[in-house]
Amino acid sequence: MSLTPSYKKISEDEFNRRIEFAESIIRSCTSCPRNCLVDRTKGELGTCQSGDNPIVSSYTLHFGEEPVLSGTNGAGNIFFGNCNLRCVYCQNFVISQNPKVEKRNEVTVERLAEIMIELQNMGSHNIGLVSPTHFAVPILKSIKIASDNGLNLPIIYNTNGYDSVDVLKLYKDVVDIYLPDFKYGNNDYGRIYSKVNDYFDKTRLAIKEMYNQVGSDLIYENGVVVRGLIIRHLILPNDLSETEKVFKFITEELDKKVHISLMTQYFPTNRSNKHILINRNIRYNEFTRAVELLEKYGLENGWIQEMESNEFYRPAFEVSREDPFNNKELNLI
C-alpha cells in the first residue's frame, strides 16, 4: 500500500488557516530570516527581488539527486528563480542572481500547481522544490490547489538552509522530505561568501525544526524515500565550510542517525574568481578530511559523492530551460 503524502491528511480548514497566515507574512515579508519587511503584494522588493507570485525558471525530471530521491524515474524538480542568498560560487547563478531576466518566468499559483501535476504525469517519484524559501507563501497555496486536483506525490523541500522557523511550521505535515544545505559552520564565512550575517545561527534553528517535524529515520517505498531528512554539506576549498563544526552540531543537537549527503561537486563559478581562497576545485586531502570527520562524529548514514562529481552536476540553464541537465542526450528521458 502506498504511503499517503502528509498534505493529503490536513483538513480543509487547517490548510486554509495556514494559507491565510502565510499571506500576512508576505505583506510584511519575513519569508526568510532577512526579514526585509516589504509588502511583496504591492510590488515592493527585498533582497530576493521577488514579488508575490513564484518564478519558475525550469522544471524537469532530474536524475542527479541522491539515488534514493531520483530512483529510476527521476525527481520532479521545480527550479525557482532568484534567491535569498548571494553565494559567490552559486552553480545556479544564471537563474538565482539574474532577477531582471527571471521576472519573465513569473507564473500564477494555479500554473505552479499545474506544473506539479505535469511532473506527476511524467512519472516522477516526488515533487522537488528547489530554492523554495523566498516563494514559500505562494508555493503553499499551489500545493493545496494541486492536491485538490489529484497530486499524490511526496514534496521535497530542497533549500539553502536559510529558512524562517515560523514559515517552516506552516509546512509541518505538508512537506514529507526535507533536503537542506548546511553550508557553513560559522557566521563569518556566510557573510563573506553568501552575503548574509547570521547563516550558521539561523540555519541551525531551521534544521532543528525540520528534524523535529520528520525525525532522522528515512521511510522508503520501492527503494525511494518518501519521508525524512537528508542534510547536504558541500565541501569547500580551504575548509571554508567549517565541516567539523557542522558535523558536531548534527551529532550533539540532532542525532547520529541523521543522513548526510557529503558533496564534492564544488567548482569555481559565478564570482569565485574574485575570492582567492575559493577559486579552485577541492583537493583530495580536503575530501578525505571530511570523510574522516564523518567517522569521528559517528555519522554513518548517508552518501558520499565521488571526487570527480564536479564534472557531472553542472546545469546549463543558459542553454536550455527545458533540459538543463541534458537528459535527452543521456537517454534518461
Side-chain angles (χ1 to χ4, degrees), residues 1 31 44 46 50 57 63 77 100 113 124 149 201:
M1 181 178 178
S31 291
E44 296 177 6
S50 305
S57 297
F63 298 86
N77 278 3
K100 290 183 179 179
S124 62
N149 285 279
D201 292 343

Side-chain angles (χ1 to χ4, degrees), residues 211-252:
Y211 172 79
N212 290 338
Q213 289 185 23
V214 299
S216 57
D217 293 332
L218 297 184
I219 298 174
Y220 289 80
E221 187 174 283
N222 299 321
V224 178
V225 169
V226 293
R227 184 172 175 84
L229 167 67
I230 299 171
I231 299 176
R232 285 177 165 173
H233 182 65
L234 178 67
I235 303 170
L236 296 177
N238 294 298
D239 196 28
L240 297 176
S241 45
E242 285 274 10
T243 298
E244 182 156 15
K245 291 183 180 178
V246 170
F247 291 171
K248 187 173 189 289
F249 161 78
I250 293 170
T251 297
E252 294 182 353

